[in-house]
Structures are given as structure tokens and as C-alpha cells.
Amino acid sequence: MAAIGRLLVFAGMVVVVAGVLLWWGVPFGRLPGDIVVRRGGFSFFLPITSSIIASIALTLLLALFKR
């Protein structure tokens, strides 16, 4: 049961952090290095920089949570 409790607490912290970032208007998804292609009725978005930042942040959080 303790593992499920930790998982729920961690998931809650992730949701709170994401909510605060969206509330503050952090331009996640529109950073330099993110690729956007728009042609006619077609648009393509590849969030390279945003994905790298999210990966680093989650890695740090998981490393702190694991201890």
C-alpha cells in the first residue's frame, strides 16, 4: 500500500507543477528549437526543446523522489 500512496503523491505533485506552469503562462511548446510547419490546411508541430526540458525535469524529480 505504501508504494501506491507514493505514486499518488508523486502524480499529484506533477499535476500541481503543470498547473502552476500553465497558470503563469510559461510558453511550454513554443520554445526556440520546437519545429512548427504550416502549409495550407496542414500543420505539423515537433516539440524537441520542450521534450528535452520535460525529460530533464522529470528525471530530477524522480531522482529526488527515489531517495
Side-chain angles (χ1 to χ4, degrees):
M1 267 320 205
I4 294 173
R6 283 189 216 134
L7 178 65
L8 289 174
V9 168
F10 178 71
M13 289 188 314
V14 169
V15 169
V16 167
V17 169
V20 168
L21 290 175
L22 290 173
W23 185 25
W24 287 344
V26 174
F28 193 73
R30 291 177 281 148
L31 298 172
D34 290 347
I35 298 172
V36 179
V37 177
R38 292 188 181 106
R39 293 191 181 140
F42 174 77
S43 62
F44 176 76
F45 178 66
L46 183 64
I48 295 174
T49 306
S50 298
S51 298
I52 291 171
I53 291 173
S55 176
I56 291 170
L58 287 173
T59 300
L60 291 173
L61 280 173
L62 286 172
L64 289 174
F65 190 68
K66 189 176 179 181
R67 291 181 184 201

